[in-house]
Amino acid sequence: MTGKDELNPLPLRDLPLRDLHETAGARFGGFAGWSMPITYPLGVMKEHLHTREQAGLFDISHMKLFRLTGPDAAAALARACPLDPDAIAQNHSKYTLLLDESAGIVDDLIVTRLGPDAFMVVANAGNAQADEAELKARAAGLAVAIEPLDGVFLALQGPGAEAAAIRAGLPVDGLVFMQGTEPRADWFLSRSGYTGEDGFEIGLPEADARALVAALLTDPSVAWIGLAARDSLRLEAGLCLHGQDITPETNPVEAGLTWAIPKTVRERGGFVGAEALAAAMAAGPARRRVGLKPEGRQPVRAGAVILDEDGSEIGIVTSGGFGPSAGHPVAMGYVRAGRAEAALHTDIRGNRIALAVHPLPFTPHRYRRG
Amino acid sequence: MAATYFTEDHEWIRVEGDTATVGITDYAQQQLGDLVFVELPEVGRNLAKGDAAVVVESVKAASDVYAPCDGEILSVNEALSGAPALVNSAATGDGWLWTMKLADASQLDGLMDAAAYDKHIA
């Protein structure tokens, strides 16, 4: 018996709180250049369900926070992303994209306005360096400082997240979904996450993080949750993983993410990728991202080829696995436009598995919208 | 009297006469985590030592289970179709994968006993 883990020849970076994960019995694995806790003794299935039923604590310090400050901070973001920073109210967050000149998706970001001239950007681990270089290049000539933050970044997710946060002394009062604040010096607190559940993301210095984790873990509703369950949670929630479901080879039109780009911004242009995006919108998508429900119990994984009834390749699965809350396999992928409703299937080791197009998300979002 | 042997790839094989029952070790099921699907082989299939006989799928990944010896599959554990987690809860008992008729019992000589396997995973 053997696993099919990829060998990673590069040295991996350790999380600042690695010792806490070791104490908690985590199993580690490489992801985006980091040695990450993949699962804890509870196991992926129970970790996933615990998050949906109570509160899951995730160490997401591999992700990168950038603080943009200066009189041109909004202008820099407006050039860098298909975003209207001036339309973001103070302490509100917005999901946006970093596009290249071809409108390919370099990364997906959460931007929070912290003040008239201050924004926080949360970027994905694997793209952090490229994002920093791009943001700086796109801000050339503008009066803005782009400062990567070090420290710990935690997520607390689930229906019990608010109560657990309050018991641990987190100042979450009044925050609703997609709002963020700086409650203390060097802290960033937002009501957001990537599981489909209500919850918070907290960036803070390591010493503060150790105290917060200690307080949270005295709460019986809170458990450490690893990267494996984070992936199954976000997939059930229909959320894209950059590098898999969205990449520089996919554009927002085919990815179904144009909702993240305000119409006024599309019309006005002025951001990197604007022309290509306009052309892609005018032409319509050649393929589109869909949710897929495989028939039966066998998971269909990323890379599986999607076939039509004649056996012709018409797409590919970009994320797939078992959905512990859904109770069946779940997947996401791209299908040639106009063919998504046709009888789709895939072939796994000689087994033909029917794929039904399924609306996303697989499990309903439970964000606290206030 | 049954004798149990172990492979470096974390299969166990319990032998009685010229028939054997095969599964994965408790260590292996712990490493894999919660299984959600077990793809069983066809009865009657002839396996060569080292052939991928079964695929076990956890929430995250698929893994092969290899034949520890040459032989013909006599039966498969149908209970796993509806309850793959039996492998997690009883890897060396109710979570067995298949039984086989051994073609060459001398192949067992190359496998580990329980003490050697415990050392292997230590």
Side-chain angles (χ1 to χ4, degrees):
Chain A
M1 192 221 73
T2 186
K4 289 178 179 165
D5 294 343
E6 282 177 68
L7 290 174
N8 192 332
L10 296 172
L12 298 171
R13 296 178 67 183
D14 282 324
L15 298 171
L17 303 185
R18 182 181 172 102
D19 58 311
L20 299 186
H21 304 301
E22 285 173 348
T23 303
R27 282 175 49 203
F28 291 83
F31 176 76
W34 291 81
S35 176
M36 296 294 294
I38 303 298
T39 177
Y40 297 85
L42 206 53
V44 181
M45 190 87 81
K46 291 197 181 95
E47 289 171 40
H48 178 117
L49 296 171
H50 183 92
T51 306
R52 293 252 185 267
E53 288 157 12
Q54 300 190 60
L57 179 61
F58 303 75
D59 190 338
I60 52 171
S61 304
H62 61 306
M63 297 180 68
K64 196 74 196 171
L65 280 71
F66 297 100
R67 201 169 192 283
L68 276 68
T69 47
D72 291 335
L77 281 170
R79 194 190 284 174
C81 300
L83 179 72
D84 183 0
D86 290 325
I88 305 177
Q90 171 121 0
N91 298 124
H92 284 251
S93 307
K94 182 106 172 63
Y95 176 83
T96 189
L97 303 163
L98 196 64
L99 304 179
D100 62 20
E101 290 288 356
S102 311
I105 302 172
V106 177
D107 202 1
D108 58 345
L109 309 170
I110 303 276
V111 174
T112 304
R113 181 165 216 148
L114 296 170
D117 297 326
F119 293 85
M120 190 70 80
V121 173
V122 180
N124 286 302
N127 304 320
Q129 280 186 317
D131 289 357
E132 185 177 353
E134 273 301 320
L135 287 172
K136 284 180 172 166
R138 294 175 189 192
L142 297 174
V144 56
I146 298 169
E147 176 197 2
L149 298 187
D150 286 323
V152 171
F153 198 33
L154 301 170
L156 183 65
Q157 302 279 296
E162 181 178 47
I166 290 168
R167 284 193 290 267
L170 276 175
V172 301
D173 308 1
L175 275 187
V176 298
F177 182 60
M178 294 303 270
Q179 289 186 352
T181 63
E182 288 178 298
R184 295 174 205 167
D186 299 323
W187 276 56
F188 175 64
L189 170 66
S190 64
R191 194 155 197 161
S192 57
Y194 222 58
T195 60
E197 299 296 325
D198 180 33
F200 305 91
E201 292 183 327
I202 312 122
L204 70 180
E206 184 181 331
D208 294 354
R210 287 179 181 274
L212 175 63
V213 166
L216 284 170
L217 290 180
T218 60
D219 197 314
S221 73
V222 177
W224 278 122
I225 307 298
L227 201 59
R230 184 171 167 83
D231 193 52
S232 53
L233 287 158
R234 70 92 198 160
L235 175 55
E236 278 184 346
L239 302 171
C240 293
L241 179 62
H242 193 272
Q244 263 179 233
D245 308 301
I246 48 176
T247 74
E249 278 71 52
T250 52
N251 69 45
V253 183
E254 55 201 16
L257 295 176
T258 50
W259 59 265
I261 307 174
K263 192 157 174 282
T264 50
V265 172
R266 282 180 235 157
E267 287 165 358
R268 188 182 64 208
F271 56 90
V272 175
E275 290 77 16
L277 181 69
M281 292 200 69
R287 54 178 189 159
R288 63 188 190 93
R289 180 172 63 92
V290 293
L292 297 162
K293 180 178 182 293
E295 187 177 50
R297 304 287 295 178
Q298 181 164 4
V300 173
R301 314 269 181 195
V305 170
I306 301 171
L307 306 163
D308 69 6
E309 48 204 342
D310 304 326
S312 304
E313 280 191 38
I314 56 161
I316 190 157
V317 172
T318 50
S319 281
F322 189 82
S325 306
H328 54 75
V330 292
M332 201 190 280
Y334 284 86
V335 175
R336 198 182 298 162
R339 305 300 297 273
E341 306 308 322
L344 306 178
H345 69 279
T346 190
D347 184 285
I348 298 182
R349 304 183 292 269
N351 297 335
R352 181 189 168 114
I353 297 173
L355 300 171
V357 170
H358 191 282
L360 294 172
F362 291 100
T363 51
H365 292 163
R366 295 193 290 185
Y367 303 133
R368 196 69 58 82
R369 295 187 187 274
Chain B
M1 171 85 188
T4 305
Y5 303 84
F6 299 85
T7 72
E8 293 189 350
D9 294 322
H10 312 291
E11 292 92 10
W12 56 262
I13 175 167
R14 193 158 54 234
V15 180
E16 279 179 273
D18 63 351
T19 66
T21 306
V22 182
I24 66 170
T25 64
D26 197 54
Y27 171 83
Q29 70 77 19
Q30 280 177 29
Q31 294 295 309
L32 289 168
D34 308 293
L35 296 188
V36 295
F37 183 76
V38 178
E39 185 181 314
L40 294 163
E42 273 182 43
V43 172
R45 182 179 156 196
N46 275 297
L47 297 171
K49 180 176 172 151
D51 281 354
V54 163
V55 180
V56 289
E57 301 230 22
S58 68
V59 178
K60 278 299 287 175
S63 303
D64 291 323
V65 182
Y66 303 113
C69 293
D70 297 355
E72 182 191 341
I73 293 178
L74 298 174
S75 67
V76 297
N77 188 355
E78 298 289 356
L80 299 178
S81 303
L86 268 178
V87 177
N88 294 112
S89 57
T92 55
D94 290 346
W96 62 277
L97 298 175
W98 76 87
T99 65
M100 64 194 292
K101 189 174 178 65
L102 296 177
D104 178 5
S106 74
Q107 289 176 327
L108 297 168
D109 296 342
L111 302 178
M112 288 178 277
D113 62 12
Y117 180 72
D118 286 347
K119 218 169 171 178
H120 176 63
I121 59 173

